[in-house]
Amino acid sequence: MRIKKGDQVIVLSGKDKGKTGTVTVAMPKDSKVIVGGINVATRHKKPSQTDPQGGLEKIEAPMHVSKVAHVVDGKPTRVRYEVQDGKKVRVAVKTGAKIDG
């Protein structure tokens, strides 16, 4: 998976198309990511002893990694791997900029 935790991404399709955010959780086995403030779902929570109020809870739902793209200068770009100085690094296809720190 070419998207990692902490990457700045843009949503390519769905109800949040065009919005940008930072990846908070990456799930490579499921090919999904959770992006902060994107794909927010509302869950109904019953009152319990720990939370006697209950009510509505907003959570960020996972989305498939194919629905997001890495952002460079506000535009989406694909990511490729190159070997530089004996290390494998991620590089933006459009600009050739190195993504890894």
Side-chain angles (χ1 to χ4, degrees):
M1 205 164 80
R2 295 169 193 263
I3 307 286
K4 296 182 181 179
K5 180 180 175 181
D7 285 351
Q8 195 72 15
V9 294
I10 188 167
V11 180
L12 300 175
S13 64
K15 64 180 182 181
D16 294 320
K17 180 178 179 178
K19 292 184 182 177
T20 59
T22 304
V23 175
T24 56
V25 178
M27 299 176 260
K29 286 186 178 179
D30 300 328
S31 296
K32 294 189 180 221
V33 292
I34 295 178
V35 183
I38 306 292
N39 199 24
V40 177
T42 304
R43 297 285 180 244
H44 296 265
K45 194 167 185 181
K46 285 178 122 178
S48 64
Q49 285 188 345
T50 57
D51 184 19
Q53 184 67 25
L56 298 176
E57 182 183 62
K58 294 190 180 285
I59 61 163
E60 292 147 353
M63 59 193 321
H64 199 268
V65 74
S66 66
K67 289 183 174 250
V68 298
H70 202 277
V71 171
V72 175
D73 299 329
K75 294 186 178 182
T77 182
R78 295 188 312 277
V79 176
R80 98 170 122 236
Y81 285 100
E82 290 182 359
V83 177
Q84 296 177 353
D85 300 327
K87 288 189 175 183
K88 187 174 164 184
V89 295
R90 294 185 300 158
V91 176
V93 172
K94 278 190 178 177
T95 62
K98 188 172 151 184
I99 295 170
D100 293 329

